[in-house]
Amino acid sequence: MKRKIFLVMLGLFLVIGLFGCVSYPNTPLLVKTSDINNNPLNYDQHFISVKGTVTANGTQPSLQLGWYDLADETGTIAILTTPDVPKVGDEFWVSGTVIYATKVVGARTLSIVLQEKERIKMGLNYPLIIGIVVVAAVALIALYFLLIRRKEPVYEPIKKEEYIPERRPSEPYIPEAKVSKKTQETVIEEEGLVEGAPALLIIKSGRKSGATFPLRKKVINMGRDSSNEIVIDDPKSSRQHAKIKLEGDNFVIYDLASSNGTFVNGEKITSVKLNDGDEIKIGDTVFAFKLL
């Protein structure tokens, strides 16, 4: 679910970025050239914008002026500008003030003109694209770490447990080497431990692939909760998903009424005896059971 949210927000950022890459003059009124030419008094001294294609141009260096004709689908209007005139064929958004007066620029007489204030070429604004992409990338990375990436459990190697026999204060300390095997077996039985590690689980696929878990206890709990002996970093795993229990000389796996089920060799189980080489699947994580 969180990955879907991530993809939707990525698409939203891209759409916003593309729309933000086209710049327009800062004016609310876009006017057709025919409206200005047919009703010049209605637009005299008004600040407007027009858009179209340059069809002619010229300059008057002595007056430090330039002019060009901008045509849309309805007509043409003359625009006064600086000597830096655009090329014929360029497309622009132009904003400025309408001047309803006769002006002579070189050999050309202009009756209705637009005094240019801002000229923006239509098309993509590449610096703006780069800025939007950078901001979007930073925002998405932050979103990834805040919503999707969870703190992964740390798998520490299982250390061999050291048995130190209890003694009364008046009794001399008996080193571990002198403790009888019978005494050790009694303690192992009481604490639910298994002498040595008769079997282990290896993660074949999924997160923490390659991790190994020796089965040193008679009951091994598995699930997403950190209280389990084997913590499964998988969103499809239940908090208390399954357990492996040593019954006699056999290991038996039990499903603990998990949401997505426990599978052994591809079959959904409630409980089953494990054999050497069996595959256990919990969510998207696959374990291999290995007898030693």
Side-chain angles (χ1 to χ4, degrees), residues 91-104:
E91 295 182 349
F92 291 101
W93 281 73
V94 180
S95 62
T97 303
V98 175
I99 303 174
Y100 182 50
T102 300
K103 287 189 178 291
V104 178

Side-chain angles (χ1 to χ4, degrees), residues 211-284:
T212 302
F213 303 92
L215 304 183
R216 297 182 181 275
K217 292 186 176 182
K218 289 190 174 183
V219 179
I220 303 292
N221 293 301
M222 307 171 68
R224 201 174 69 250
D225 193 84
S226 59
S227 63
N228 292 287
E229 282 78 15
I230 298 179
V231 178
I232 303 175
D233 185 15
D234 191 319
K236 294 183 181 179
S237 169
S238 299
R239 296 175 65 85
Q240 305 292 337
H241 196 103
K243 70 178 180 180
I244 296 177
K245 186 176 180 181
L246 180 61
E247 299 179 356
D249 294 331
N250 298 315
F251 283 93
V252 180
I253 184 169
Y254 294 86
D255 180 76
L256 301 180
S258 61
S259 299
N260 296 310
T262 303
F263 296 81
V264 175
N265 298 327
E267 295 186 3
K268 190 173 183 180
I269 60 94
T270 54
S271 67
V272 70
K273 186 186 81 168
L274 293 174
N275 297 309
D276 187 37
D278 282 350
E279 288 190 352
I280 303 168
K281 184 176 181 183
I282 295 177
D284 293 326

Side-chain angles (χ1 to χ4, degrees), residues 11-30:
L12 184 61
F13 271 113
L14 291 176
V15 171
I16 293 173
L18 289 176
F19 276 103
C21 291
V22 181
S23 298
Y24 304 100
N26 186 20
T27 176
L29 184 61
L30 176 64

Side-chain angles (χ1 to χ4, degrees), residues 158-161 184 188 192-200 214-218 220 246 251 292:
I158 301 176
K159 297 180 180 179
K160 185 176 180 181
E161 299 181 9
Q184 290 181 355
I188 289 172
L193 303 178
V194 180
E195 187 174 6
L200 53 81
L215 304 183
R216 297 182 181 275
K217 292 186 176 182
K218 289 190 174 183
I220 303 292
L246 180 61
F251 283 93
L292 301 178

